[in-house]
Amino acid sequence: MSSSETTTNHKTIREWAESRGGRPSAIRTRGKGGVLRIDFGEKEEDFEEISWEEFFKIFDENRLAFLYQDKTKDGETSRFNKFVER
C-alpha cells in the first residue's frame, strides 16, 4: 500500500525533488507568478526552469501545500506530487 504526505516545509520539498532529479519550474500564465511544477528528466517544452527562491515565493504567495508520495505500492521511489491549497 502506498501513502502520501502533505508539507509546506521548503527544505523537505526541495530535498524530495532533488533526490529524484527534479527541478523547480513554472508554466507562465497571464497573472503574477505561474503554475508551479517539478520538472523531471528531459526538460518539458512548456516549463520554464526557475530558482528555488522564486519557486517558494510563488508557493507561499499562493498559500500552497505540497502533496507527495515517497514510495510506490511496489516499494519503488515515487515521483507523484501535486500542489494543493493549504
Side-chain angles (χ1 to χ4, degrees):
M1 178 177 196
S2 61
S3 64
S4 59
E5 298 182 49
T6 304
T7 187
T8 58
N9 183 286
H10 293 188
K11 182 179 178 190
T12 300
I13 296 166
R14 184 173 181 168
E15 287 176 352
W16 182 92
E18 288 180 341
S19 72
R20 290 156 172 78
R23 298 175 305 282
S25 303
I27 299 171
R28 295 299 182 186
T29 60
R30 293 177 190 221
K32 186 175 172 183
V35 178
L36 292 181
R37 294 286 184 261
I38 303 290
D39 195 9
F40 297 98
E42 211 170 298
K43 186 178 181 311
E44 291 281 339
E45 187 176 319
D46 294 336
F47 293 5
E48 177 185 332
E49 191 168 342
I50 58 176
S51 69
W52 281 111
E53 182 178 289
E54 182 178 0
F55 180 90
F56 288 120
K57 182 176 186 236
I58 296 167
F59 180 82
D60 290 334
E61 284 175 351
N62 288 284
R63 301 196 38 77
L64 297 173
F66 185 67
L67 176 70
Y68 66 101
Q69 183 182 54
D70 201 38
K71 299 279 183 190
T72 66
K73 68 178 181 178
D74 299 330
E76 300 293 321
T77 299
S78 176
R79 295 192 320 192
F80 170 79
N81 71 91
K82 69 180 186 176
F83 297 95
V84 296
E85 290 183 21
R86 289 186 190 176

